[in-house]
Amino acid sequence: MSASKQPNPVRSMPPVELLAPGLWVIPLPLPIPDLRYVYIYAFESGQGPYLVDAGWDNDECHAALEAGLAAIGSSVSEVRGIMVTHSHPDHFGLAARIREASGCWIGMHPAEAAMVTAMRREPREDVSTALRVAGAPDGDSRLGLPPRYPATPASSYATADRLVEDGDLIPVPGWDIRAVWTPGHTPGHLCYRLPALDALLTGDHILPRITPHIGVQGFEGDSVTRFIESLNKVADLNPSVAYPAHEYRFVGVRERALDLVAHHNGRFAEVLAALDGRSASLWQIAESMPWSMPWQEMGAVRVRIALDETLAHLKSLALHGLVEEVPGARGVWRRLPPATS
């Protein structure tokens, strides 16, 4: 994601808030300076609360979850189910601890469950390695830096108890909650639709200000096209209000979704322009593109996210015959001449 630096999360946490009868939003702090907090959503039922997402796996986030659930008259031990939007650590990290304390089920899309299984078996390379593979120059100051915040080891990620397909009715007593598969940010990203409220819990698929990045991990094929299809899907749903995982709830969901479609179509043009008259490494291509802050001011993790998004667009363009990875030169790309009829 792309976002400007924000105030200290301890000084700026939103309150636990009732959004509709029986539906609460609980902010949980994150050790990520750019994001500050993640929203989880709690649905009351006669059996105990059901959550959308779970937060980061650290003691501060766990304590905030305990306090938030206590504020609505419940506790972690009473949680009955967790509806996962996607498996990034700010959304998914605490899921295993919550299940251990409560015996709740954890539900996610099959594509996300497969990615979690793959990550548990073979975690991604560290950030410095990823930057070097992308073509970072040897003297770049971001190589070899320790991480700014501790990541949850992929080996401890929770596996799914329930597989949730597009359109499934989630088994939460007293609620009509429908899964909406929105691949792009991750392969199995899910939004959750509340028809009675004409609302959509959007996870990281659509945020009001931040542009969610497009992932490459776990995808087979064209993740950018899948993301654009997912954005158009949400635009067609056109809910009255979006409850996202970060920032703030918002209206104008259709317009925001279509703005993001236009943004990613523009990214294709930027990638092609970066390859005008030259072959270039992934690093060189991304470095020449516009971002929300200057390239040299980005930290290592933010650069990795930018590289992933650039690579996703390159792979999509390659599938459409517009670019190719130079044979025998791993990670170096070039434009292809227009096809002749």
Side-chain angles (χ1 to χ4, degrees), residues 203-320:
D204 279 0
H205 181 56
I206 299 180
L207 302 172
R209 185 183 60 89
I210 294 171
T211 301
H213 79 276
I214 299 178
V216 291
Q217 186 179 19
F219 274 100
E220 295 182 5
D222 187 346
S223 60
V224 182
T225 297
R226 299 306 304 275
F227 190 39
I228 289 173
E229 290 170 350
S230 298
L231 289 167
N232 284 321
K233 181 179 185 177
V234 168
D236 290 343
L237 288 176
N238 195 21
S240 295
V241 61
Y243 297 136
H246 303 286
E247 299 192 295
Y248 46 85
R249 59 186 176 270
F250 62 99
V251 298
V253 182
R254 175 179 173 80
E255 291 78 8
R256 177 59 176 152
L258 295 178
D259 282 347
L260 290 170
V261 170
H263 167 80
H264 286 291
N265 284 328
R267 277 293 197 217
F268 286 128
E270 292 165 5
V271 170
L272 290 172
L275 288 171
D276 272 346
R278 66 166 183 168
S279 297
S281 69
L282 176 59
W283 180 279
Q284 292 168 328
I285 298 165
E287 185 180 28
S288 68
M289 292 166 59
W291 302 96
S292 62
M293 66 187 303
W295 184 261
Q296 291 304 323
E297 295 179 15
M298 292 186 188
V301 172
R302 189 189 289 266
V303 167
R304 183 180 195 166
I305 290 171
L307 291 167
D308 277 354
E309 179 161 327
T310 304
L311 180 59
H313 285 80
L314 282 164
K315 288 184 172 181
S316 180
L317 290 167
L319 287 169
H320 289 85

Side-chain angles (χ1 to χ4, degrees), residues 13-279:
M13 287 289 289
V16 175
E17 187 177 357
L18 183 66
L19 299 176
L23 172 59
W24 297 86
V25 58
I26 302 174
L28 301 179
L30 294 175
I32 305 175
D34 294 339
L35 288 180
R36 297 188 288 161
Y37 51 83
V38 63
Y39 291 125
I40 68 163
Y41 294 87
F43 293 83
E44 295 179 357
S45 78
Q47 301 175 2
Y50 290 77
L51 307 182
V52 171
D53 286 341
W56 195 279
D57 185 13
N58 65 18
D59 291 340
E60 181 185 14
C61 191
H62 189 272
L65 176 61
E66 283 279 20
L69 289 173
I72 69 173
S74 190
S75 68
V76 168
S77 64
E78 295 178 329
V79 172
R80 301 272 63 87
I82 302 173
M83 296 164 264
V84 175
T85 62
H86 63 294
S87 59
H88 287 167
D90 52 326
H91 297 257
F92 182 59
L94 273 179
R97 288 176 68 178
I98 297 170
R99 181 169 61 188
E100 183 178 358
S102 66
C104 71
W105 52 259
I106 297 172
M108 66 184 78
H109 190 273
E112 205 72 5
M115 189 170 76
V116 168
T117 297
M119 287 190 299
R120 285 168 59 92
R121 183 173 61 247
E122 187 176 350
R124 292 190 80 180
E125 72 273 290
D126 64 79
V127 174
S128 289
T129 300
L131 301 193
R132 286 191 176 93
V133 169
D138 290 339
D140 192 276
S141 61
R142 288 159 291 205
L143 294 174
L145 290 177
R148 296 173 68 190
Y149 44 84
T152 303
S155 60
S156 69
Y157 278 12
T159 54
D161 304 294
R162 295 173 180 264
L163 298 180
V164 180
E165 299 279 4
D166 187 40
D168 278 359
L169 173 66
I170 310 300
V172 178
W175 289 91
D176 181 1
I177 305 172
R178 302 282 173 167
V180 182
W181 183 32
T182 50
H185 188 58
T186 66
H189 189 288
L190 288 171
C191 296
Y192 294 95
R193 186 182 181 198
L194 309 177
L197 301 178
D198 195 20
L200 188 70
L201 279 66
T202 62
D204 279 0
H205 181 56
I206 299 180
L207 302 172
R209 185 183 60 89
I210 294 171
T211 301
H213 79 276
I214 299 178
V216 291
Q217 186 179 19
F219 274 100
E220 295 182 5
D222 187 346
S223 60
V224 182
T225 297
R226 299 306 304 275
F227 190 39
I228 289 173
E229 290 170 350
S230 298
L231 289 167
N232 284 321
K233 181 179 185 177
V234 168
D236 290 343
L237 288 176
N238 195 21
S240 295
V241 61
Y243 297 136
H246 303 286
E247 299 192 295
Y248 46 85
R249 59 186 176 270
F250 62 99
V251 298
V253 182
R254 175 179 173 80
E255 291 78 8
R256 177 59 176 152
L258 295 178
D259 282 347
L260 290 170
V261 170
H263 167 80
H264 286 291
N265 284 328
R267 277 293 197 217
F268 286 128
E270 292 165 5
V271 170
L272 290 172
L275 288 171
D276 272 346
R278 66 166 183 168
S279 297

